[in-house]
Each structure stands twice: as C-alpha cells, then as structure tokens.
Amino acid sequence: MKKTARQLKVKVAGNEKVKENIYRLSFRSDYLSKHSLPGNFIHIKIENTVLRRPFSVHDIKGDKVYVLFKVRGKGTRFLSEYKRGRSLDVIGPLGRGFSLKVPGESLNIIIAGGIGVAPLVFLARKIGKRGQRGNNLAILGFENTGDIVCEEEFRRLAYKVYISTEDGSRGEKGNSVGILKRILSGYPEETFMRIYACGPKDMFFEINKTAKKFPNAECEVSFEQFMGCGLGVCCACVIETKTGYRKICRDGPVFDIKEIW
Ligand SMILES: Cc1cc2nc3c(=O)[nH]c(=O)nc-3n(C[C@H](O)[C@H](O)[C@H](O)COP(=O)(O)OP(=O)(O)OC[C@H]3O[C@@H](n4cnc5c(N)ncnc54)[C@H](O)[C@@H]3O)c2cc1C
C-alpha cells in the first residue's frame, strides 16, 4: 500500500557498476520497502546539485531498495561515486505507479527502451506473484550489446525475454516496438493483454499505434521528464493529456496511454 512520501536519511548499502555508465545503488529502508509500488519514484539529493534527481524504484528485496541509473550529467556522475556507508537524503515513495489491476489471466507484456528498464523489474516481480507463468513477456530494447541490462532478472522471474539492439549486435536489429509488432501479429484481435512500458516518448507513440488494433489491450506507460520539486508544486514537469495538462511527478509518472493519445 502506498503511503505518504517521507524524507528519509539512509545509508548506501552498495553501488555496483553493472555496465559502462550504468550503476545499481542500494540502501536499506523499512518504510520505502513496505510502501513503494512499481512505478513509484524516489527523489534523491545528490551533493553539489541544487535540485533533487528522480529515480524509479528499480527493485525491492526484503528491506533493501534498489535504484538502477545511467550516468547522464553532473548529478548522476556524482551519484556513481557514492560508496557503501555514505548517507543519502531521499524522499519517497512519490508519484502514481502501475495499476496492476488484472490478476493473471491476460497476456502481460513489459516493454523497455534503454534505461527505461529500471522500474520494470520491480513491476515484473509483482506481476509474477499474481500472474500465470508463461504468459509474461519482457521485450527489452537497447542501443548495442554493451547497454544490455536486467536480462537475467526477467528470466529469473520466469519471463520470456526478447532483446533488440539498434546496431543488431544482439537479438533482433531495431527497437523493442518492432518485436512487439511481430509478436502481436500472432495473436487474435480479441486477446486480453496488458502492456507496461518505460522508455522514450516516441516509443510510446508507436506502442499506442500497435495496441490500438487490440480492443482488449490496456497499456500504461511511465514518463521520464525534467522535474523540479517532484511534489506537484512547481509545475516544471507538465504533460499535455486529452483532459488538460497533468503533472508527471504527481499525476504520473505512469499514465494510461489512452489519457495521452
Ligand atoms: C519519474 C522519473 C523516474 C526516473 N527514473 C530513472 C531511473 O530509474 N534511472 C535513470 O537512470 N534515470 C531515471 N530518470 C532520469 C533521471 O532523473 C535523470 O537521468 C537525472 O535526473 C539526470 O541528472 P544529471 O544531473 O545526471 O543530468 P543533468 O545534468 O541534469 O542532465 C544531463 C542530461 O540528462 C538528460 N536528462 C536529465 N534529466 C532527465 C530526465 N528527468 N528525463 C530524461 N532525461 C533527462 C538530459 O538529456 C540532459 O541533457 C527518471 C526520471 C523521472 C522523471
């Protein structure tokens, strides 16, 4: 059950380099591990930066909370240098997560573009607990082999994993939506399915075009956008929806795709 966000002082338990420029940071928090839902995010104060930086809850095991992040600029570069034992100021859990409302009977498709895979491992763990084995697919798209992360995590959670790379160095050449289109072409139109996505906005647009052909498809997408306060006050992260502007930090980051297009 998601509760009110709290500001917490935690200690870094680990910060492992998993790929060039990609790190998995962990810390222990009873509160966040109990109250975070897939798709929620944590706002982290990083040294030498004024604004906090948002990161999805990547996974939770016991009281350990994991964040998977890519080094992009100043904040994430500093964060990559955080060592075990260092204290960290975090606010969370924040935002509206994935709904997880259909327990099992449908085809569950997780689709990621690059580091968009981060929130989807925790989601896969939760779906796996409720869903039918064999009905869960993970389609993971990356630039090249060197960027591939989390493949094993999805396999361990009994997901059938499909990989695409832009340069064709592993899996199918192209992006993850190409694989989605191919897989769905083998399913009847009336199939009940839930699609959960995180990645660039262009990817969501393409997913929407594909999913629209299936009247019983529901699709939720998690947006990444520059954020200010993360608490719904500053309006730096608004997105245009069919019913007006919404704040990604408070009304999202997860939206039903039908709210957008
Ligand atoms: C709800 C939410 C969840 C997120 N979860 C994750 C996560 O789990 N793992 C992860 O690696 N990243 C995640 N991000 C993106 C992450 O917040 C940014 O990468 C981070 O703030 C960059 O900080 P920086 O100081 O290193 O980069 P900056 O110096 O601030 O920016 C460097 C470059 O990074 C890009 N960038 C910065 N902020 C964002 C942003 N919010 N969205 C997209 N691109 C950005 C821009 O291209 C920019 O030019 C998430 C963003 C949101 C809004």
Side-chain angles (χ1 to χ4, degrees), residues 18 40 57 76 90 238:
V18 285
N40 286 157
V57 175
T76 43
V90 303
V238 289

Side-chain angles (χ1 to χ4, degrees), residues 21-23 39-43 46 49 51-58 66-79 94-95 115-120 198 222-227 237 248-249 252-254:
N21 281 332
I22 299 183
Y23 291 78
N40 286 157
F41 70 94
I42 303 166
H43 225 187
I46 305 171
T49 59
L51 293 172
R52 289 171 181 270
R53 302 291 196 265
F55 298 94
S56 308
V57 175
H58 166 56
Y66 292 82
V67 168
L68 183 79
F69 68 95
K70 181 168 185 162
V71 175
R72 276 170 161 156
K74 186 178 164 190
T76 43
R77 199 172 54 249
F78 274 118
L79 192 61
L94 289 163
I115 196 64
V117 71
L120 302 176
C198 187
S222 182
F223 283 88
E224 272 193 15
Q225 189 156 311
F226 286 111
M227 222 167 246
C237 62
I248 289 192
C249 67
V254 177

Side-chain angles (χ1 to χ4, degrees), residues 37-38 96-102 123 130 194 196 218 220 254 256:
L37 295 171
R96 183 175 73 163
F98 293 99
S99 65
L100 290 171
K101 63 187 173 204
V102 180
L123 173 72
R130 299 170 179 218
R194 290 188 64 78
Y196 305 91
E218 290 192 45
E220 288 182 320
V254 177
D256 187 318

Side-chain angles (χ1 to χ4, degrees), residues 140 148-158 161 170:
L140 315 177
I148 299 174
V149 282
C150 303
E151 183 181 358
E152 278 317 307
E153 279 88 333
F154 286 104
R155 287 197 205 284
R156 275 200 292 273
L157 293 166
V161 179
R170 256 293 299 284

